[in-house]
Amino acid sequence: MIHIKRLQEDGADVIALVGEIDASSSIELDLAIAKSVGEGFSKILVDCSALEYISSAGLGVFMSYIEEFKDRNIKMVLFGMSDKVANTFSILGLNELLHIGKDKVQAKQIVNEL
């Protein structure tokens, strides 16, 4: 089960993920990102510090936005991943396709440099 909180900070939409993202809860992640895009945010920070697990369906949600974000000049940076979650991204090579920072400070630096 996932709990998603959104807040705005320094012109970015911060999406905080708490819990686990599996096939059924990945829909909530997709809706949160879509809402952020729909509200016109061009900088999205995804706080993964309380994310305990992410399934392939959850990873697929992030992958599904890569081309759209490039086309619309939307910048997304994930940050705060546990070793377990970060390992899932790196095994699949997603750390090469997505922007990932170690903490919020680094994520803000990355999103402002993109």
Side-chain angles (χ1 to χ4, degrees):
M1 185 165 145
I2 190 74
H3 180 68
I4 299 175
K5 295 185 270 185
R6 289 180 60 222
L7 62 105
Q8 291 67 49
E9 190 175 311
D10 299 328
D13 196 28
V14 181
I15 301 172
L17 308 176
V18 180
E20 300 181 353
I21 298 177
D22 58 19
S24 61
S25 61
S26 66
I27 296 163
E28 293 177 53
L29 172 62
D30 191 23
L31 290 173
I33 295 172
K35 190 169 186 179
S36 182
V37 171
E39 291 176 8
F41 286 96
S42 61
K43 296 178 182 179
I44 301 170
L45 303 176
V46 183
D47 182 352
C48 300
S49 58
L51 180 63
E52 299 165 11
Y53 168 82
I54 186 165
S55 72
S56 58
L59 296 169
V61 170
F62 289 118
M63 297 302 300
S64 71
Y65 282 97
I66 290 175
E67 288 303 316
E68 178 184 352
F69 284 5
K70 281 182 187 172
D71 293 345
R72 295 177 64 179
N73 199 29
I74 296 171
K75 301 153 182 72
M76 179 173 66
V77 180
L78 291 75
F79 70 91
M81 291 182 186
S82 67
D83 290 342
K84 177 182 170 184
V85 171
N87 190 42
T88 303
F89 278 81
S90 65
I91 285 172
L92 298 173
L94 301 184
N95 57 327
E96 302 294 325
L97 299 172
L98 299 168
H99 302 284
I100 300 173
K102 67 176 171 59
D103 56 29
K104 189 188 284 186
V105 172
Q106 187 181 49
K108 285 181 180 180
Q109 290 172 340
I110 294 168
V111 81
N112 287 322
E113 291 171 0
L114 293 174

